[in-house]
């Protein structure tokens, strides 16, 4: 699956309406309320290719620390058609790969996801194909002055975030109340 996504990103050609990406530094990488870097900084990159019809592929990666791997790479392929001016749906496949000395190839995880957005509201469900566990998250996002403000609640955690863009750069802050910890994350990224 990851090779299909990489092929879409590299060889999409004229079928692609948009290609975007970012490279950034985060004060720590927090995944669903749990830090993945022992509160150390993480380097993160992403690349997304979208078609005019709503098909997309995304590659995302981050450095890790303290979780038996040094790098996480995510591969997504999905479809996100806009049904009306305010309503859209989003569904697809997500694979997590982990790289490092203590990691086996079988450590990858795979999820199916489905989401819907209406105006400033969105909700998603992720279904793990191996464990059959589900993760739910909902959010409310709004632009206030020049800031993007988001409040979110997921399975076992919730939080708020605020971000501001300056041409190709963005600066953001996120507070997350996880199961066993509260985290504060500051991110700076270059977007293209």
């Amino acid at each position: 699956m990851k090779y299909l996504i990489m092929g879409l990103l590299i060889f999409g050609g004229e079928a692609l309406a948009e290609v975007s990406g970012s490279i950034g530094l985060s004060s720590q990488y927090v995944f669903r309320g749990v830090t993945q870097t022992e509160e150390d900084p993480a380097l993160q990159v992403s690349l997304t290719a979208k078609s005019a019809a709503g098909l997309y592929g995304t590659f995302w990666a981050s450095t890790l620390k303290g979780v038996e791997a040094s790098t996480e790479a995510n591969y997504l392929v999905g479809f996100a058609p806009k049904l009306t001016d305010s309503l859209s749906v989003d569904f697809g496949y997500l694979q997590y790969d982990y790289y490092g000395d203590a990691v086996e190839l079988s450590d990858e995880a795979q999820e199916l996801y489905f989401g819907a957005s209406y105006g400033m509201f969105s909700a998603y469900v992720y279904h793990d194909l191996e464990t059959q566990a589900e993760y739910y998250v909902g959010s409310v996002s709004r632009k206030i002055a020049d800031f993007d403000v988001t409040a979110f609640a997921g399975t076992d955690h919730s939080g708020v975030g605020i971000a501001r863009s300056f041409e190709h750069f963005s600066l953001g802050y996120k507070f997350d109340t996880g199961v066993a910890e509260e985290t504060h994350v500051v991110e700076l990224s270059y977007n293209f």
Side-chain angles (χ1 to χ4, degrees):
M1 178 57 69
K2 62 184 169 185
Y3 300 110
L4 171 67
I5 295 167
M6 294 307 293
L8 174 66
L9 292 173
I10 296 170
F11 301 109
E14 295 180 15
L16 298 179
E18 178 185 338
V19 176
S20 60
S22 67
I23 182 166
L25 187 62
S26 178
S27 61
Q28 63 178 310
Y29 167 32
V30 177
F31 177 70
R32 297 179 181 170
V34 179
T35 184
Q36 305 295 304
T37 56
E38 294 183 344
E39 299 183 3
D40 283 349
L43 178 64
Q44 299 174 335
V45 297
S46 71
L47 182 63
T48 297
K50 297 180 183 178
S51 74
L55 180 67
Y56 65 91
T58 297
F59 167 78
W60 181 90
S62 177
T63 56
L64 303 175
K65 183 176 180 185
V67 290
E68 299 183 351
S70 58
T71 306
E72 175 185 331
N74 300 345
Y75 305 89
L76 296 87
V77 62
F79 183 56
K82 194 167 187 176
L83 304 179
T84 69
D85 286 343
S86 300
L87 178 64
S88 62
V89 295
D90 182 11
F91 56 92
Y93 168 86
L94 168 58
Q95 179 173 312
Y96 304 85
D97 284 353
Y98 300 92
Y99 303 95
D101 293 340
V103 178
E104 302 290 331
L105 186 59
S106 62
D107 288 337
E108 69 186 25
Q110 300 174 59
E111 293 178 333
L112 297 177
Y113 61 89
F114 175 78
S117 298
Y118 183 78
M120 61 183 177
F121 302 97
S122 68
Y124 276 81
V125 60
Y126 295 82
H127 177 76
D128 189 299
L129 294 176
E130 181 180 348
T131 67
Q132 303 301 308
E134 292 183 340
Y135 169 77
Y136 300 91
V137 63
S139 65
V140 178
S141 299
R142 185 168 178 108
K143 193 161 193 80
I144 300 175
D146 291 329
F147 296 90
D148 297 310
V149 180
T150 302
F152 61 90
T155 305
D156 299 327
H157 74 112
S158 60
V160 294
I162 185 168
R164 171 109 191 250
S165 295
F166 306 88
E167 295 197 19
H168 288 288
F169 291 91
S170 61
L171 179 63
Y173 166 79
K174 187 186 296 180
F175 171 72
D176 197 320
T177 58
V179 177
E181 60 188 337
E182 293 181 348
T183 57
H184 301 270
V185 179
V186 176
E187 299 173 316
L188 175 64
S189 62
Y190 175 78
N191 309 298
F192 54 91

